[in-house]
Amino acid sequence: MPSKTVHVPHLGGIEAGYEMPYPYDPEKPTCILVNSFTTTTDLYRDQYQNKDLNDTMNLLAIEPLGHGKTRTKSEHFTFWDTAIMSIQVLDALGIKKAFALGTSQGGFIVVRMALLAPDKIEGIIPLGTSMDYESEHSRQIGCWNAYENCVPLIERWSSTQPTPDWVVDDEFCDLISMLGFGRDCPESTKSFWKKTQKEIYRGDEGRKRIRMAAINLLERDGLHSRLQDVTCPVLWLHGSNDIPFDVRLPKEEIKMFVNAADAKLHIVEGGAHYLSATHPKEVNQALIDFVTKFRGNKL
């Protein structure tokens, strides 16, 4: 599903890629969906197609900086910049409040949104994510080694010369599908995302965007000391088979939301890193229940 764009002022101007599967209904609550590393709004195709979910809320998928159709003149940006951009997308579309769900790096972003705009974010739903930087502790409890995975990519994607013929390689695309959808990822899913990633990440500008996206992933700041400032409800959904982030991590970190109106962790048995795609039934129902319960929450 192709995303639309809307102009917002951050970083001197951003064309932010977004998707709303149905026209905005101001009588319904809204939930933002933020996609994972090098994916697009298409990560949430199963959510767009679920009638109960769309009857309950407006879905607004937003593509982070460096992803999909989102473009800015600045070569440098962070997850904080995407959080600000996403809040400005709400303003541009005339949406006063929203819940926010984010997968993997999207989880990093929605927590930042809750910190930056507590008056706008009604609740957050992190999926398969972490509140830490890429720390030694996270590796000790079974999480992936981002340095082993990302440093070679960043080095490979760095160039002082223009690269007009550059296209992201098959090996990278297959790695992302395995990490996200699991080791038994269907070939049709691999093919879809490989085609998508090769369309987006090509030429000099595509190389620069994916390089900065990888730098953001590797060198992000941790949020542990800030989590006490999150006051909205939190529902963390995590797959038992998540490859990058072992379930021991969310079990530790959900306890850090000490001032949230509510903070719960739900482990989805058999779920992979991209949980909304591998287990849409469980995610959709949990999202409906959460938004219904906390819509208009005043705590």
Side-chain angles (χ1 to χ4, degrees):
M1 181 181 293
S3 57
K4 308 173 184 69
T5 62
V6 61
H7 182 82
V8 298
H10 190 54
L11 292 180
I14 301 171
E15 298 301 319
Y18 77 96
E19 188 62 58
M20 291 192 82
Y22 295 95
Y24 175 64
D25 181 350
E27 298 302 314
K28 295 178 184 177
T30 296
C31 186
I32 296 166
L33 309 172
V34 185
N35 55 272
S36 56
F37 178 58
T38 69
T39 66
T40 68
T41 57
D42 279 327
L43 184 65
Y44 297 108
R45 289 178 295 172
D46 287 306
Q47 283 64 53
Y48 303 154
Q49 296 167 7
N50 184 275
K51 184 178 184 301
D52 291 341
L53 192 59
N54 287 279
D55 285 347
T56 303
M57 68 193 77
N58 301 295
L59 297 179
L60 168 60
I62 300 176
E63 293 172 327
L65 287 156
H67 293 73
K69 287 192 174 181
T70 295
R71 298 288 185 274
T72 184
K73 290 182 180 179
S74 177
E75 186 175 338
H76 287 266
F77 46 80
T78 70
F79 291 130
W80 290 101
D81 290 313
T82 288
I84 294 168
M85 178 199 80
S86 300
I87 294 162
Q88 291 182 346
V89 169
L90 287 180
D91 294 338
L93 298 178
I95 301 171
K96 294 181 178 179
K97 292 180 179 289
F99 292 84
L101 176 150
T103 298
S104 191
Q105 69 170 13
F108 314 155
I109 292 163
V110 300
V111 176
R112 286 165 170 79
M113 292 174 68
L115 289 166
L116 291 169
D119 57 326
K120 293 180 179 292
I121 303 303
E122 296 190 89
I124 55 174
I125 309 93
L127 269 63
T129 192
S130 165
M131 300 298 120
D132 202 0
Y133 68 100
E134 290 296 339
S135 70
E136 178 64 27
H137 173 70
S138 68
R139 293 189 289 277
Q140 287 174 347
I141 62 172
C143 297
W144 78 324
N145 188 322
Y147 291 91
E148 289 182 356
N149 285 278
C150 292
V151 169
L153 296 175
I154 294 166
E155 291 176 349
R156 198 159 77 226
W157 297 337
S158 297
S159 176
T160 58
Q161 301 299 318
T163 56
D165 299 323
W166 182 87
V167 182
V168 70
D169 60 90
D170 289 357
E171 181 183 358
F172 168 80
C173 298
D174 289 340
L175 173 66
I176 293 300
S177 289
M178 184 276 289
L179 291 173
F181 299 100
R183 291 185 174 86
D184 57 351
C185 176
E187 286 300 321
S188 60
T189 300
K190 288 183 185 178
S191 296
F192 174 84
W193 285 108
K194 186 179 295 184
K195 179 175 182 293
T196 299
Q197 288 157 339
K198 286 179 176 290
E199 288 173 351
I200 295 170
Y201 298 113
R202 61 173 51 246
D204 207 42
E205 292 304 312
R207 176 188 60 77
K208 290 177 181 179
R209 288 195 305 274
I210 197 171
R211 173 179 176 270
M212 192 52 54
I215 290 172
N216 285 342
L217 197 65
L218 177 65
E219 298 186 350
R220 70 184 184 277
D221 52 328
L223 295 173
H224 285 179
S225 296
R226 301 180 192 262
L227 295 182
Q228 62 183 306
D229 297 331
V230 174
T231 56
C232 67
V234 180
L235 174 62
W236 189 328
L237 303 177
H238 208 94
S240 65
N241 293 345
D242 191 301
I243 295 172
F245 299 127
D246 189 274
V247 294
R248 284 173 287 184
L249 188 69
K251 287 179 179 179
E252 289 181 359
E253 293 182 329
I254 192 66
K255 298 173 185 177
M256 298 179 186
F257 290 94
V258 292
N259 292 314
D262 191 67
K264 288 188 170 58
L265 170 66
H266 178 54
I267 304 297
V268 178
E269 191 61 36
H273 191 47
Y274 296 169
L275 195 57
S276 65
T278 66
H279 285 67
K281 180 179 178 181
E282 291 86 344
V283 170
N284 293 347
Q285 190 58 56
L287 183 54
I288 290 170
D289 293 344
F290 182 75
V291 169
T292 301
K293 179 177 181 180
F294 291 109
R295 180 186 184 185
N297 176 50
K298 304 299 182 183
L299 296 177

